[in-house]
Amino acid sequence: MLHAKYRWSQLPCDEASASRLASQLNISPLLASLLVTRGMDRLEEAEQFLKGSLADQHDPLLLSGMKEAVPRIRQAVENGERILIYGDYDADGVSSTTLMIHLMRRLGATYDYYIPHRTKEGYGLHIPVLEHFHKKGFTLIVTVDTGISAVDQVAYARSVGMDVIVTDHHEPPAILPEAYTLINPKLPYCSYPFKGLAGVGVAYKLAQALLGEDTPEAWTELAALGTIADLMPLTGENRVIVKSGLASMAHSAFPGMTALLGTSGWSSGEVTSTSVAFGLAPRINASGRMSHANRAVALLTAESMEEAEVIAEELDVLNKERQMLVEDMVQEALQQLESQEEAEGLPDVIVVAGEGWNAGVVGIVASKLLERYYRPTIVLGIHPETGECKGSARSIPGFDIYEALTDCADLLDHFGGHPSAAGMSLGRERLEEFGRRLNAFAAGRLQPEHFVPVLQTDLACSLKDVTLQAIEQLQHLAPFGMANTCPRLLLRDLKLLECKQMGKDGKHLKLVLGQNGKTVEAVAFGKGELASLLTEEARVDIVAEAGINEWNGSRKPQLMIQDLAVSHLQVFDYRGSRNPGLLLDELRGKLGKLPACGSGTSAVVLNDGSAFFQTLDLKETPVWVYDKNVGVRPGNDLAQAVGFNAAVTLFVLELPESPMGWTGMVSGFTALERIYLLHSPRAPQERIEPPSRDHFKLVYSLIHRGAGQGLREEELIAALATRTGWSRRMVEMALGVFEELGFIIRAAGMVRIHPSPSKQALETSSRYRELGLLAEIEQMLQYGRVPEITEWMLTHIQGAS
């Protein structure tokens, strides 16, 4: 058995609607089903989703505050006013700032821009900055991706005669700034049809309101970059904007975009949302995290490829430095949490802080800790001199971290964000109380089920459905991202045909899976350690994304595994190991580090009086011994204490001497998930064979000829072994059968024929039946292939239950 990392939840699908849609649109049943599971069961909705274009965008003037912003900006341009673009340091903020710079250039405005330093200043508007630009004669401020919480800062600007147009997309607080106008689709009074715009999306709508049809389509590249990087939903209006932007990036109008694509490994062809999310966005963000976001703005506003390539290389280096810094901080955070877990257990909401931690990467560290522990996580960097703590939060579904921070607002100097991610700052002296208050808030909201990660699957299908044509049609659902993920297919009962590790240090897993005659290759990134938990021909359930592997002109389906499980008992073959004790220690150590093994304990099974009791250190291991009457019984105090049902992993160090030991063990260990066969093969002189009437008749006739007056048992056994080719052990067990039936008499080391035996069938002998069962057990456990043993074991377990 192999435990899935996630709890799989399948979206419901109306098969009748899917069938109708497939016919109406002439698409594969797989694609039609996926459209239906995503809520598009009507022809018009599905066509809009598949074929939507920029022409389907909403009127920007529907955004509340837009009708006031447009004339004010035009007035400022006409009058030569100085306009300040005030942005943010993340990829969305950089994209927004860049787009607004290009807009101001197009309008012929007098402008400048400002992005605060992430670690020195922190998020949002700052009054000293506004004072500086007021003295320089700036009269209009346009914020992008920030400002909706800047009540005091906007009040200051108004007091000195500066108008502020706030464009933002973050959650509006209860008290709003009294700006010249506020543009944010999430404002409660805003009736804009689509609420999921990124900060750059709002800036793009402002550009559309000012330029109308003259808005360059290439600007959708900037909108796509910020929208994907900020994890905004790729549905509705975002979908058509991002789709256009990705198509434009392949022949970008921005030298900086092309240069950055080059440093992230792209050379030509289609640019995907994955290319942006894992290639462009981290490098743009590295600028603000490790240096200053101005360098990223300089890249995206560069007018020559030479300049762009130089800056792109800078950002690539910064990103590599960021990766190393993050890894160091993660390790420090893990040490804190491990100590805390040992002392008082893991809290519902994790709060960790470190002096000197780079505030620019605390959000990434929080994401990595959340992935490991799956609970809301806040990571803060403490300034060693001032004691100021700046941090980022990442949350899980069902827990609104912005709401939680609002409840602690009296402890915070500043905070803002979304239900799933946020930022904050506070003094070191309030840190302990902050953690306590957060967990008190969570106590009434987080239940045990919240801490089990859920993987939403789109559709259950079989391997025959995963064809090249179907996968090509799935690309019509792209671009993929938040709220429009790459389809996750649930495939059950696949036979594992091949399994091997690949990549550096065997970090990844490559499988060949089969079902009903069809095979497909599958890759599981980051799951290489599971190779040791998968047995030959195991029946595997997977959640996977379907793609196409192109190599040397060949194209074939490929599955990218997101999660996998084996729901049946697995048997692992280590028979004949030269040092079973060492191997036992190695296997137990490895299993203890793999979450996919689940909870429960491991146990060892031996024969009573085994030499392993003297040669192995088994004090910390539950040991069970075979027992002819009860199957197995405790062989040490630990086994007695934990009982049968605690054992999920069983190490078989020896085979039983009787069939009842094995069958009783099988029925006793009801919770077993995996069995490791570590026993040595029987010596040839101990081998037994399945008994047959003909063989036994032959043996009896041989005994009858020579034992009428009695023979020494040792001599008889040796003679019978020679004549029959049976092992000594087999001959001894056959004599036991004849003795039970009353055919022979054994006494004082002698064997003689019973003078008047009763007529009895061989099958009436319990020893004969036991011999047959023991022969079957030993034959299978010594010479069977793992798939055969597994199937045989499952049959016996089902029979026992």
Side-chain angles (χ1 to χ4, degrees):
M1 188 173 287
L2 178 68
H3 293 266
K5 180 179 180 180
Y6 300 93
R7 177 164 57 86
W8 300 348
S9 174
Q10 189 177 335
L11 291 169
C13 179
D14 183 336
E15 293 183 7
S17 296
S19 178
R20 183 175 62 252
L21 205 59
S23 177
Q24 290 172 331
L25 291 172
N26 191 28
I27 57 178
S28 70
L30 192 62
L31 177 56
S33 297
L34 288 166
L35 287 168
V36 171
T37 61
R38 296 177 186 218
M40 290 165 284
D41 56 356
R42 293 190 298 111
L43 177 63
E44 300 76 16
E45 294 172 322
E47 280 191 318
Q48 172 64 31
F49 188 84
L50 295 174
K51 301 175 182 178
S53 68
L54 289 177
D56 299 310
Q57 293 179 87
H58 303 300
D59 183 349
L61 294 177
L62 293 176
L63 276 162
S64 178
M66 191 68 81
K67 291 178 180 176
E68 292 76 21
V70 168
R72 179 66 186 88
I73 293 172
R74 283 180 176 154
Q75 175 191 333
V77 172
E78 290 169 4
N79 296 337
E81 294 182 56
R82 293 188 172 186
I83 303 173
L84 176 65
I85 304 164
Y86 202 118
D88 187 31
Y89 38 66
D90 68 2
D92 188 14
V94 166
S95 305
S96 306
T97 302
T98 301
L99 194 150
M100 199 55 56
I101 288 172
H102 285 288
L103 175 62
M104 292 299 159
R105 288 177 179 176
R106 177 65 65 100
L107 293 173
T110 303
Y111 73 94
D112 201 350
Y113 77 92
Y114 188 84
I115 294 177
H117 192 284
R118 185 167 200 145
T119 54
K120 295 178 181 177
E121 297 171 280
Y123 176 81
L125 277 65
H126 300 280
I127 289 177
V129 176
L130 302 182
E131 287 178 335
H132 170 77
F133 282 98
H134 170 61
K135 290 176 183 177
K136 294 182 70 174
F138 284 76
T139 55
L140 177 62
I141 301 170
V142 180
T143 75
V144 286
D145 192 35
T146 188
I148 198 65
S149 301
V151 175
D152 294 340
Q153 295 86 343
V154 170
Y156 167 79
R158 284 188 64 195
S159 71
V160 296
M162 301 170 80
D163 288 337
V164 181
I165 295 173
V166 171
T167 77
D168 202 350
H169 75 125
H170 293 95
E171 296 293 329
I175 300 175
L176 297 170
E178 296 183 5
Y180 183 86
T181 190
L182 301 173
I183 306 174
N184 184 334
K186 292 180 181 172
L187 287 166
Y189 54 80
C190 181
S191 59
Y192 194 71
F194 184 68
K195 303 295 182 182
L197 291 172
V200 70
V202 179
Y204 178 69
K205 301 309 291 187
L206 177 58
Q208 283 186 319
L210 283 159
L211 299 179
E213 293 183 359
D214 293 332
T215 306
E217 191 170 326
W219 290 3
T220 59
E221 293 182 41
L222 300 171
L225 172 58
T227 300
I228 294 170
D230 217 41
L231 303 180
M232 291 296 103
L234 296 192
T235 57
E237 195 166 28
N238 280 349
R239 175 174 170 77
V240 296
I241 292 172
V242 170
K243 199 172 182 179
S244 170
L246 292 175
S248 181
M249 280 184 198
H251 44 82
S252 179
F254 302 99
M257 198 74 78
T258 301
L260 199 60
L261 281 166
T263 61
S264 63
W266 178 88
S267 57
S268 62
E270 180 186 16
V271 178
T272 66
S273 53
T274 302
S275 308
V276 173
F278 296 100
L280 303 189
R283 289 167 173 79
I284 293 290
N285 278 321
S287 176
R289 296 182 193 281
M290 305 297 293
S291 178
H292 197 290
N294 286 353
R295 292 305 287 160
V297 174
L299 171 70
L300 296 176
T301 55
E303 296 184 353
S304 73
M305 184 56 72
E306 291 75 17
E307 178 190 6
E309 287 176 345
V310 169
I311 303 175
E313 287 297 330
E314 285 180 27
L315 299 194
D316 190 51
V317 171
L318 289 175
N319 189 51
K320 289 183 172 66
E321 293 175 359
R322 186 270 307 167
Q323 290 170 329
M324 291 187 288
L325 179 63
V326 165
E327 183 57 31
D328 290 343
M329 286 173 57
V330 166
Q331 292 307 314
E332 290 181 38
L334 288 176
Q335 290 176 7
Q336 283 190 32
L337 287 169
E338 286 166 4
S339 300
Q340 184 177 1
E341 191 172 6
E342 288 178 9
E344 55 197 46
L346 207 60
D348 289 347
V349 181
I350 291 173
V351 179
V352 289
E355 191 169 288
W357 283 1
N358 188 319
V361 299
V362 288
I364 302 174
V365 177
S367 294
K368 290 185 176 293
L369 294 179
L370 183 146
E371 183 179 355
R372 183 183 180 98
Y373 293 103
Y374 201 70
R375 49 195 64 210
T377 301
I378 296 176
V379 179
L380 303 107
I382 306 172
H383 194 286
E385 296 174 4
T386 66
E388 183 185 21
C389 304
K390 292 182 179 179
S392 282
R394 297 293 183 269
S395 194
I396 59 178
F399 188 74
D400 187 331
I401 195 68
Y402 181 80
E403 183 186 5
L405 293 178
T406 302
D407 188 70
C408 303
D410 56 304
L411 298 174
L412 304 174
D413 297 330
H414 183 272
F415 73 96
H418 310 293
S420 59
M424 78 297 299
S425 62
L426 70 160
R428 186 205 293 257
E429 69 281 0
R430 298 194 293 276
L431 199 54
E432 186 175 341
E433 176 68 6
F434 179 50
R436 189 194 67 77
R437 285 267 297 274
L438 280 172
N439 276 283
F441 178 83
R445 291 165 174 80
L446 286 173
Q447 303 300 323
E449 59 267 21
H450 285 111
F451 300 119
V452 180
V454 176
L455 185 64
Q456 195 79 57
T457 66
D458 295 88
L459 196 67
C461 63
S462 61
L463 215 52
K464 67 178 176 59
D465 299 316
V466 187
T467 64
L468 277 176
Q469 182 182 11
I471 296 171
E472 287 168 346
Q473 287 201 3
L474 293 186
Q475 293 306 308
H476 294 310
L477 296 174
F480 299 120
M482 294 299 291
N484 183 48
T485 57
C486 184
R488 297 190 185 110
L489 307 177
L490 174 60
L491 297 104
R492 294 192 182 276
D493 199 35
L494 307 179
K495 182 186 285 189
L496 180 61
L497 303 177
E498 291 182 29
C499 173
K500 63 180 180 180
Q501 292 175 270
M502 64 179 195
K504 185 179 179 182
D505 301 322
K507 189 175 182 181
H508 311 301
L509 196 61
K510 184 175 183 180
L511 309 177
V512 177
L513 302 168
Q515 187 180 58
N516 297 327
K518 177 168 183 177
T519 61
V520 68
E521 289 184 355
V523 176
F525 290 108
K527 299 183 186 298
E529 62 185 13
L530 298 184
S532 61
L533 295 180
L534 291 166
T535 55
E536 182 186 351
E537 295 188 17
R539 312 303 295 196
V540 182
D541 301 332
I542 66 170
V543 176
E545 298 173 359
I548 297 175
N549 183 15
E550 301 191 33
W551 179 254
N552 285 340
S554 172
R555 302 175 79 243
K556 57 184 179 181
Q558 184 179 55
L559 294 173
M560 315 303 291
I561 296 176
Q562 309 303 304
D563 201 10
L564 73 161
V566 176
S567 58
H568 63 77
L569 173 76
Q570 292 192 97
V571 178
F572 296 85
D573 185 9
Y574 291 91
R575 290 172 290 185
S577 169
R578 291 185 177 181
N579 193 335
L582 180 61
L583 183 58
L584 174 65
D585 290 340
E586 288 178 0
L587 290 171
R588 291 186 64 198
K590 183 184 294 186
L591 293 174
K593 298 175 183 177
L594 298 175
C597 289
S599 57
T601 63
S602 61
V604 167
V605 63
L606 298 166
N607 283 303
D608 198 7
S610 169
F612 282 119
F613 281 106
Q614 283 72 47
T615 59
L616 297 182
D617 181 6
L618 299 171
K619 292 191 296 292
E620 303 298 322
T621 305
V623 178
W624 298 83
V625 295
Y626 298 111
D627 186 291
K628 183 173 183 178
N629 298 313
V630 295
V632 287
R633 56 180 170 78
N636 62 4
D637 292 340
L638 189 54
Q640 182 73 53
V642 299
F644 275 121
N645 293 330
V648 297
T649 302
L650 184 67
F651 296 97
V652 178
L653 288 175
E654 292 178 330
L655 294 183
E657 297 298 336
S658 75
M660 287 72 76
W662 184 265
T663 55
M665 181 203 73
V666 168
S667 61
F669 287 107
T670 56
L672 282 185
E673 297 179 357
R674 58 196 69 84
I675 294 178
Y676 286 84
L677 302 179
L678 278 67
H679 59 274
S680 299
R682 292 274 189 193
Q685 62 270 26
E686 294 186 349
R687 182 175 177 178
I688 59 175
E689 300 175 9
S692 72
R693 291 178 58 83
D694 291 342
H695 277 122
F696 267 69
K697 286 172 69 176
L698 171 63
V699 172
Y700 183 71
S701 67
L702 292 173
I703 298 173
H704 196 275
R705 290 176 203 166
Q709 301 302 317
L711 287 173
R712 295 182 61 83
E713 185 167 327
E714 282 295 322
E715 294 175 1
L716 178 62
I717 290 173
L720 288 174
T722 301
R723 294 289 301 273
T724 63
W726 280 359
S727 68
R728 176 185 178 88
R729 181 164 166 250
M730 181 73 182
V731 172
E732 288 176 339
M733 297 184 81
L735 292 179
V737 172
F738 292 136
E739 181 182 27
E740 182 189 9
L741 293 171
F743 293 173
I744 62 173
I745 298 171
R746 301 166 80 182
M750 300 293 291
V751 176
R752 63 186 177 87
I753 296 294
H754 196 289
S756 54
S758 60
K759 290 186 177 181
Q760 296 186 69
L762 275 171
E763 290 77 7
T764 63
S765 166
S766 62
R767 292 187 181 183
Y768 182 82
R769 295 193 300 272
E770 287 174 16
L771 176 58
L773 186 52
L774 185 61
E776 178 192 345
I777 290 171
E778 291 196 3
Q779 185 76 15
M780 182 60 70
L781 294 178
Q782 293 209 107
Y783 307 108
R785 292 176 56 247
V786 164
E788 296 168 345
I789 297 173
T790 304
E791 188 67 32
W792 177 78
M793 284 287 300
L794 292 173
T795 302
H796 278 66
I797 289 172
Q798 290 162 3
S801 60

